């Protein structure tokens, strides 16, 4: 359905490994602008979609998955959609407990959605929260696929009906989790590991999440 109703512009940035879709344990989705972001799945390889369906662990806000259409969409895409309260309580512990040796965690590190004015619902700037650091501590090896959304407000502004037949853009970056953890520990040490991760992902987001239009680059190899 995504391929029928939307045109996809998805490209890799940075150093692209030979098989970029293999060995992914964490997908960090940055620039969260719409509840209809699962439509990006139309641009990834089919075997990656099947892996999400079988091994995906997706923490999502209670009010998101309680919506009849959007909640059903999330549950249709991933095998484990875990309801969370956005607080560091038992719901977040439940997410960490769902992570197994073959799990792939898909998370929006900002933890809330950007409105059309560029701020969150409370009028605050969009920042990365510490949950992604907890995930990287729970999954010390494998790859993290950082997905930089170019924004979906032209498809669906929060609170409005979605629009079809639009072009949607995303940039992808693959990092080795073990190397990334080492780098962040060198920057922040054990005590400030979480802060280093948050600041680094915000820097990467601001660099690659350009909502003004696509940039030149190589197309992803959907067969890899």
């Amino acid at each position: 359905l995504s391929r029928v109703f939307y045109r996809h512009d998805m490209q890799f940035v940075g150093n692209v490994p030979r098989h970029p879709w293999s060995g992914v344990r964490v997908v960090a989705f940055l620039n969260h602008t719409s509840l209809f972001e699962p439509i990006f799945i139309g641009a990834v390889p089919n075997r990656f979609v099947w892996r999400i369906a079988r091994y995906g662990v997706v923490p999502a806000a209670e009010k998101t998955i309680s919506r009849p259409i959007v909640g059903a969409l999330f549950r249709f895409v991933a095998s484990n959609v875990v309801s969370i309260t956005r607080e560091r309580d038992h719901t977040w512990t439940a997410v960490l407990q769902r992570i197994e040796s073959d799990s792939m965690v898909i998370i929006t590190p900002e933890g809330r959605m950007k409105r059309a004015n560029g701020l969150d619902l409370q009028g605050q700037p969009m920042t990365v929260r510490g949950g992604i650091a907890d995930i990287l501590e729970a999954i010390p090896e494998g790859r993290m696929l950082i997905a930089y959304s170019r924004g979906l407000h032209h498809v669906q502004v929060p609170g409005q009906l979605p629009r079809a037949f639009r072009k949607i853009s995303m940039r992808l970056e693959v990092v080795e989790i073990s190397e990334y953890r080492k780098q962040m520990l060198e920057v922040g040490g054990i005590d400030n590991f979480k802060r280093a991760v948050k600041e680094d992902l915000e820097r990467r987001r601001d660099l690659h999440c350009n909502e003004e239009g696509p940039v030149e680059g190589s197309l992803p190899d959907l067969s890899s």
Side-chain angles (χ1 to χ4, degrees), residues 89-101:
D89 56 14
H90 67 282
T91 62
W92 184 244
T93 301
V95 172
L96 300 177
Q97 291 175 342
R98 294 284 186 95
I99 300 175
E100 300 179 352
S101 60

Side-chain angles (χ1 to χ4, degrees), residues 49-111:
V49 177
W50 283 111
R51 184 153 178 249
I52 295 173
R54 185 171 183 180
Y55 301 113
V57 176
V58 181
E62 288 178 332
K63 67 177 184 179
T64 298
I65 61 176
S66 64
R67 297 171 184 266
I69 297 178
V70 175
L73 180 61
F74 272 74
R75 292 189 178 92
F76 182 75
V77 171
S79 60
N80 282 304
V81 179
V82 187
S83 173
I84 59 174
T85 63
R86 293 198 178 105
E87 302 293 336
R88 295 184 64 83
D89 56 14
H90 67 282
T91 62
W92 184 244
T93 301
V95 172
L96 300 177
Q97 291 175 342
R98 294 284 186 95
I99 300 175
E100 300 179 352
S101 60
D102 50 7
S103 296
M104 179 166 60
V105 179
I106 304 171
I107 183 173
T108 55
E110 293 154 317

Side-chain angles (χ1 to χ4, degrees), residues 6 34 36 154-157 160-164:
Y6 297 97
S34 170
F36 283 81
H154 65 301
V155 171
Q156 193 258 342
V157 175
Q160 298 181 12
L161 293 175
R163 291 168 289 199

Side-chain angles (χ1 to χ4, degrees), residues 43 46-47 65 80 83 92 113-115 157 160 175 222:
N46 288 341
R47 67 183 184 88
I65 61 176
N80 282 304
S83 173
W92 184 244
M113 192 163 49
K114 183 165 73 174
R115 267 51 187 183
V157 175
Q160 298 181 12
V175 300
L222 297 187

Side-chain angles (χ1 to χ4, degrees), residues 160-219:
Q160 298 181 12
L161 293 175
R163 291 168 289 199
F165 308 111
R166 299 293 195 273
K167 181 179 180 179
I168 58 176
S169 300
M170 177 176 283
R171 300 295 172 258
L172 301 170
E173 186 174 19
V174 180
V175 300
E176 296 291 339
I177 294 176
S178 59
E179 295 178 5
Y180 185 77
R181 282 164 45 96
K182 181 180 178 180
Q183 292 172 359
M184 294 302 100
L185 285 170
E186 290 175 352
V187 170
I190 296 177
D191 294 337
N192 292 308
F193 172 76
K194 185 171 295 186
R195 178 179 177 181
V197 170
K198 291 166 59 177
E199 291 180 350
D200 178 73
L201 290 179
E202 287 173 5
R203 177 187 62 81
R204 292 172 185 257
R205 177 201 62 193
D206 295 342
L207 177 64
H208 297 297
C209 293
N210 176 7
E211 294 184 272
E212 295 181 355
V215 299
E216 297 298 326
S218 59
L219 293 174

Side-chain angles (χ1 to χ4, degrees), residues 8-26:
H8 298 84
D9 166 36
M10 187 174 289
Q11 302 172 18
F12 281 93
V13 298
N15 296 322
V16 185
R18 183 177 179 184
H19 300 291
W21 300 100
S22 300
V24 175
R25 297 292 314 282
V26 178

